[in-house]
Amino acid sequence: MTEQDRFFLDKSDPSSWRAVNAFSRKVGAAAEDAGIPASVVELVNVRVSQLNGCAFCLDLHVRKADAAGVTAQQLAVLPAWRDTALFDAVERAALIIAETATLLPDENTRHAEQAAAREALNDDQYSALQWTAIAINAFNRISILSGHPVRPRKAASTGATTSTGGAR
């Protein structure tokens, strides 16, 4: 599919796209006001994007996670985060929220998972992280439905092109 053949949902209705972005900015401000570090927000964004298979959002948020201080090792093991000791209690709670909001498990599992997340978070943090997961889920769907391409970037020091998975 060529870029000309794509139907970019964000470009087809700029007013709705601006509203989604405004929502995202509000959610980001709530997370900041609740004391959620940018690294934790980006862990949620990356994990949700992994679960949804959104290449465009993964490319974007892995870079943001790196800039926010998430380690390469944490990013490497993120799909298996429950099997490591690399994440602190707040990060683990955030990842529980990310998975629960994205996968929507059965009611009993959802309640148990949410209760576990609540142990490490106050009400404002719990709310902000749920909204964060909802927001990135929305962006994933927009990017997937639009087929937003992932373009190769130039390597910082050599000017060589690095592959990031290519365009969809």
Side-chain angles (χ1 to χ4, degrees), residues 57-88:
C57 291
L58 279 167
D59 184 54
L60 174 67
H61 289 288
V62 165
R63 283 184 283 135
K64 286 185 165 192
D66 179 57
V70 177
T71 69
Q73 187 179 23
Q74 286 176 307
L75 288 170
V77 302
L78 191 54
W81 67 270
R82 291 174 191 263
D83 299 327
T84 75
L86 297 176
F87 301 92
D88 66 28

Side-chain angles (χ1 to χ4, degrees), residues 1-22:
M1 175 182 288
T2 68
E3 195 158 322
Q4 293 154 332
D5 296 329
R6 295 178 198 273
F7 183 84
F8 290 104
L9 187 57
D10 50 332
K11 292 183 182 0
S12 72
D13 184 353
S15 177
S16 292
W17 177 244
R18 284 190 299 276
V20 171
N21 277 285

Side-chain angles (χ1 to χ4, degrees), residues 24-109:
S24 179
R25 284 190 300 277
K26 173 62 180 130
V27 167
E32 188 175 325
D33 290 348
I36 303 293
S39 60
V40 174
V41 169
E42 291 307 329
L43 280 172
V44 170
N45 290 336
V46 172
R47 185 64 186 130
V48 169
S49 298
Q50 286 175 335
L51 293 169
N52 287 325
C54 184
F56 183 86
C57 291
L58 279 167
D59 184 54
L60 174 67
H61 289 288
V62 165
R63 283 184 283 135
K64 286 185 165 192
D66 179 57
V70 177
T71 69
Q73 187 179 23
Q74 286 176 307
L75 288 170
V77 302
L78 191 54
W81 67 270
R82 291 174 191 263
D83 299 327
T84 75
L86 297 176
F87 301 92
D88 66 28
V90 170
E91 292 166 336
R92 295 177 82 73
L95 292 168
I96 287 170
I97 290 168
E99 291 182 356
T100 302
T102 304
L103 301 173
L104 296 173
D106 67 85
E107 185 176 5
N108 290 336
T109 302

